[in-house]
Amino acid sequence: MDWKPNRHSHLTIQEQIVDWIKSRIEQGDWSVGTKIPTQRQLAMEFNVNRSTVQLAIDELKADGFLESKMGSGVYVANNSWNALLNRSQPNWQQHIESSIHKPNYHTIQLINEYEQMDQIIRLGTGELSPELLPTKQIEQSLKKISLDSKEIGYSSPQGSGKLRRILCNYLKKRGIQTNPENILIVSGALQALQLIAVGLLEEGSIVFQELPSYLNSVHPFQSSGMQMISISRDKHLADTLRTLKRNRQSLFYCVPTLHNPTGYNWSIEERKYFYNVFKELNIPIIEDDVYHELLFESPPPAIKSFDISGQVLYIGSVSKTLSPGLRIGWVVAPTPVIRRLADIKMQTDYGSSAFSQEIVAHGISSGLYEKHLIKLRKQLKTRASFVEEILEQRFKKIATWKKSEGGFYIWLRFHKPVVNKALFLKLIKKNVLINPGYIYETRDLHHIRLSYAYASFEELNEGLNILLELIQQ
């Protein structure tokens, strides 16, 4: 919402809010049955007292524009005035509520909204700061890339043949031996998960995951009717999986290198153990490996490097390393899987950007990408040390954490369960945005996924001071 009341208007703030809500209804933005934002949200958006918003809403209720539903919220009312408008309006709220795609948690919707605001200090963002992106190198690459008319047309179903051939050579560094026909170019890792969800699993299938999990903050499998089950990495794993799986289709999603959100790295022994257990039970593995190039030390081999039976679907991307705006990732999988996912992708977007694929192909083949990664790892390590020093000085008595081994995150654990929705909202009022642990595991009120990759050094210092101040209150 971009609108704010004009404090110099001849109308009172309450009258302006009433008129603004009426205009949303009249224009069809809020049709009959639409649930309006809470009083707290509106007060925060308008920068006014909550009591002013409450008076405006009470007035609109009295005039028949809005109605309350016990325990649910306030909605656009279905009275004669709105019914007149509704003759030319579909009931979009009914369409929305009956759709198959699951909405994001409200906290994540707020994160997505507030991340776009320049004044916000982003302490949880899974994205590189603009100053860490190789903008000049990409500009120079554009001058060196030569294109013909075929290359800038629609991409082939599996993506640029040039990029796939380059990736075959590049992936050897991860111990992965593959062929161009076993690679699919996708618009980022999230699209890969969405394609797998709709292309390889039947409704009601099980997706096993670790806890906490990135998959709980996005809904590619949940929206396709899959059942999410969290499992523990222990010696009883095989028996647990047999009991839970039974005869249903299933797969296992994992981030073994720089796990999101905890930053944990699996040992080689853990990787081999998991691979063997899931191979024995014939449960495919999705290995999300988008962070491995950001490990401060040499990364252990990918699980895919052990794979001799097509058990592992491997996902890579440049969104965390080169540019999220390029929207280029890849899936390595058996040929039938790649063909199936490619067919669905063509039905969805008719191929990833040809220009983006050319930029990535040039960056990797020229060695510019590797040079950028060396510099980027040093910069991230400096940022991690900066944040860890602040934590050591100010947070040691109230929280614990593990020293970062790379990537973006420190998984900060407070001794007391203070990371709740109230703290999240209070921080937003102070222009500080966090990723609370409960978006990755609903019962987690102890953790924050603290990112050192986006905010400036000054913002990191200021944001952590504000966080500490509110928690101590």
Side-chain angles (χ1 to χ4, degrees):
M1 292 185 242
D2 296 328
W3 182 83
K4 295 283 189 300
N6 181 359
R7 299 185 182 276
H8 303 291
S9 171
H10 67 283
L11 297 174
T12 66
I13 300 297
Q14 178 182 332
E15 289 171 333
Q16 292 181 62
I17 293 173
V18 167
D19 288 345
W20 180 81
I21 292 177
K22 283 183 180 179
S23 72
R24 298 300 298 269
I25 297 172
E26 290 170 352
Q27 293 168 15
D29 295 331
W30 289 358
S31 56
V32 171
T34 298
K35 182 179 179 180
I36 73 168
T38 65
Q39 293 177 17
R40 184 193 300 274
Q41 290 174 264
L42 291 173
M44 187 183 302
E45 291 287 345
F46 300 155
N47 195 24
V48 300
N49 292 330
R50 185 174 171 181
S51 58
T52 304
V53 174
Q54 183 176 353
L55 290 171
I57 289 176
D58 288 343
E59 180 179 335
L60 289 162
K61 288 180 184 176
D63 291 341
F65 288 92
L66 301 176
E67 62 182 358
S68 294
K69 295 183 181 180
M70 186 68 68
S72 177
V74 178
Y75 295 78
V76 175
N78 186 18
N79 58 25
S80 57
W81 189 89
N82 283 295
L84 181 63
L85 289 176
N86 197 43
R87 290 175 187 173
S88 60
Q89 293 180 6
N91 187 338
W92 286 116
Q93 193 62 30
Q94 183 178 358
H95 283 270
I96 290 167
E97 291 175 357
S98 60
S99 68
I100 63 171
H101 206 283
K102 304 297 182 185
N104 263 331
Y105 297 132
H106 180 240
T107 294
I108 297 173
Q109 292 180 6
L110 289 176
I111 289 172
N112 292 337
E113 178 180 350
Y114 279 89
E115 279 186 338
Q116 309 309 313
M117 301 180 184
D118 292 337
Q119 75 274 21
I120 291 292
I121 298 175
R122 294 161 63 171
L123 291 185
T125 297
E127 181 182 343
L128 287 174
S129 167
E131 67 182 40
L132 297 179
L133 298 176
T135 309
K136 291 184 177 179
Q137 292 93 318
I138 292 176
E139 287 179 351
Q140 293 170 359
S141 295
L142 290 172
K143 296 175 183 177
K144 296 178 181 178
I145 293 171
S146 60
L147 300 171
D148 60 35
S149 55
K150 184 177 181 180
E151 288 174 328
I152 61 173
Y154 284 124
S155 178
S156 68
Q158 289 182 220
S160 161
K162 179 199 296 185
L163 177 56
R164 287 185 284 127
R165 288 190 295 272
I166 290 170
L167 284 172
C168 284
N169 187 56
Y170 185 72
L171 288 167
K172 290 178 183 177
K173 297 178 182 180
R174 293 295 284 141
I176 298 172
Q177 302 290 332
T178 189
N179 300 299
E181 58 266 29
N182 295 111
I183 297 177
L184 169 68
I185 306 301
V186 291
S187 299
L190 184 56
Q191 187 186 48
L193 297 176
Q194 292 166 336
L195 294 174
I196 291 169
V198 300
L200 301 181
L201 294 171
E202 62 188 13
E203 187 174 355
S205 297
I206 298 175
V207 177
F208 294 109
Q209 62 178 351
E210 294 184 87
L211 201 63
S213 175
Y214 162 71
L215 284 187
N216 289 334
S217 66
V218 290
H219 293 147
F221 293 104
Q222 295 91 321
S223 294
S224 298
M226 310 307 163
Q227 182 181 358
M228 310 300 296
I229 297 182
S230 300
I231 56 173
S232 299
R233 291 186 285 120
D234 56 31
K235 62 182 180 181
H236 305 295
L237 176 62
D239 292 335
T240 301
L241 291 171
R242 286 191 188 93
T243 301
L244 295 172
K245 178 183 182 294
R246 296 182 181 175
N247 295 321
R248 285 179 289 180
Q249 278 191 346
S250 60
L251 54 76
F252 173 58
Y253 170 81
C254 61
V255 189
T257 304
L258 294 173
H259 174 264
N260 182 10
T262 67
Y264 180 79
N265 286 294
W266 293 15
S267 66
I268 295 178
E269 292 72 24
E270 287 176 308
R271 293 165 193 252
K272 290 182 177 178
Y273 170 68
F274 263 69
Y275 172 73
N276 289 328
V277 168
F278 283 94
K279 183 174 182 296
E280 178 189 344
L281 297 175
N282 199 26
I283 299 175
I285 297 172
I286 301 176
E287 181 179 14
D288 190 339
D289 204 30
V290 300
Y291 292 98
H292 82 271
E293 292 157 314
L294 301 178
L295 202 65
F296 297 151
E297 304 296 334
S298 298
I303 296 177
K304 182 65 177 174
S305 67
F306 311 141
D307 187 22
I308 57 173
S309 59
Q311 186 78 16
V312 180
L313 310 181
Y314 178 88
I315 298 175
S317 171
V318 297
S319 293
K320 302 300 182 183
T321 53
L322 185 62
S323 166
L326 290 173
R327 307 307 306 137
I328 295 297
W330 48 88
V331 181
V332 181
T335 302
V337 172
I338 292 297
R339 288 177 178 170
R340 168 65 169 163
L341 300 185
D343 176 56
I344 297 173
K345 178 171 170 60
M346 291 299 281
Q347 296 178 53
T348 304
D349 63 10
Y350 230 74
S352 298
S353 164
F355 293 102
S356 293
Q357 292 181 76
E358 285 293 325
I359 291 171
V360 175
H362 175 77
I364 296 176
S365 62
S366 67
L368 289 174
Y369 182 56
E370 189 62 43
K371 290 179 181 178
H372 162 66
L373 288 175
I374 293 171
K375 180 181 178 182
L376 178 59
R377 284 190 289 265
K378 290 180 180 177
Q379 292 172 313
L380 289 173
K381 192 170 185 178
T382 299
R383 285 168 159 265
S385 298
F386 178 79
V387 169
E388 287 163 354
E389 186 175 345
I390 293 175
L391 295 178
E392 187 69 29
Q393 292 174 355
R394 306 172 201 170
F395 286 76
K396 196 171 183 179
K397 293 182 179 179
I398 62 172
T400 58
W401 62 94
K402 183 176 177 288
K403 185 177 177 64
S404 175
E405 297 179 36
F408 297 171
Y409 314 123
I410 294 173
W411 191 231
L412 184 63
R413 187 187 193 281
F414 292 93
H415 300 324
K416 296 181 180 180
V418 294
V419 188
N420 51 30
K421 184 74 171 288
L423 174 67
F424 174 82
L425 294 174
K426 287 177 183 177
L427 284 165
I428 285 181
K429 286 187 176 180
K430 297 282 188 177
N431 288 332
V432 175
L433 193 61
I434 62 169
N435 279 41
Y438 63 76
I439 67 175
Y440 307 105
E441 201 280 284
T442 54
R443 296 166 296 178
D444 186 355
L445 300 178
H446 287 272
H447 285 96
I448 286 175
R449 190 188 78 174
L450 182 59
S451 171
Y452 48 77
Y454 192 88
S456 67
F457 288 95
E458 294 77 14
E459 289 174 332
L460 288 168
N461 183 57
E462 181 184 353
L464 287 169
N465 276 339
I466 294 170
L467 173 62
L468 179 61
E469 176 186 337
L470 288 182
I471 285 179
Q472 287 179 331
Q473 286 177 2

